[in-house]
Amino acid sequence: MKIYDVTLPIHPELPVWPGDPPIEITQVAKISEGSDANVSRIACGVHMGTHVDAPLHFIEDGASVDSFDLNTLIGRVHVVDLRTELTITADKLERQGITKRARRLIFRTDNSRFWQAGRSTFEEQFVALQPDAAQWLVDRNIQLVGIDYLSIAPFDHGAPTHRILLRAGVVIIEGLNLSHVPPGRYTLYCLPLNIKGSDGAPARVVLIGP
């Protein structure tokens, strides 16, 4: 069995959603300057890098990230190859032959090439789910969905897709790096920071498979 770490490393050059706080990492104590230990401070938004969205992100009275059930975040997952698609619609998902028993799906798209190339600027043209694809997932009782850029939804029309998924309680993982992951079935371990009352949280995500 092989472990695939699909988490983006956190550093100040990592792109963030336009308008979100930049990532700042500052060393506030240094052994070289007489301190007993090195201590660093990090400042960032909760939707940076590899992260999960809670319903509260788009729904006023939605559940926060600390309410997530670990049984949803850990388990069998299908990595679906959509690298030839420019957008993800219900019709395109229907053609993938996704088993009706699937409860967790991760989409590998051409977005992963941004991470493979080390891009430090935000890309507005990324592959995302259209609202009808989100409804397709909800109708099939999908509990968790992930994608390899900073949003599951299109840049200029993000609210509908997010709201369809989050109102149905679907966990959304964004910012995955799948450039080194073949399509197939894996065991997913997604562990977001347990931030009380938050609309999202950074997460460490790994896939274990053949």
Side-chain angles (χ1 to χ4, degrees), residues 152-191:
I152 195 77
F155 174 70
D156 56 355
H157 195 56
T161 292
H162 275 98
R163 287 176 180 150
I164 291 168
L165 294 171
L166 294 173
R167 283 198 180 108
V170 180
V171 175
I172 299 171
I173 311 175
E174 297 170 332
L176 296 167
N177 179 6
L178 303 172
S179 58
H180 56 304
V181 179
R185 296 184 181 184
Y186 297 86
T187 300
L188 166 75
Y189 292 86
C190 174
L191 298 176

Side-chain angles (χ1 to χ4, degrees), residues 5 23 44 57 65 70-71 76-77 111 118 131 136 138 144 155 158 160 168 173 177 190 201 207:
D5 188 346
I23 300 168
C44 60
H57 187 33
V65 72
L70 290 180
N71 288 302
R76 298 295 290 170
V77 67
N111 296 334
W136 188 94
V138 170
L144 178 147
F155 174 70
I173 311 175
N177 179 6
C190 174
L207 300 173

Side-chain angles (χ1 to χ4, degrees), residues 52 65-76 104 143-144 171 173 187-194 203-204:
V52 298
V65 72
D66 52 306
S67 69
F68 282 165
D69 185 349
L70 290 180
N71 288 302
T72 302
L73 298 167
I74 298 173
R76 298 295 290 170
R104 301 175 190 86
Q143 299 173 351
L144 178 147
V171 175
I173 311 175
T187 300
L188 166 75
Y189 292 86
C190 174
L191 298 176
L193 294 178
N194 193 10
R204 189 67 178 262

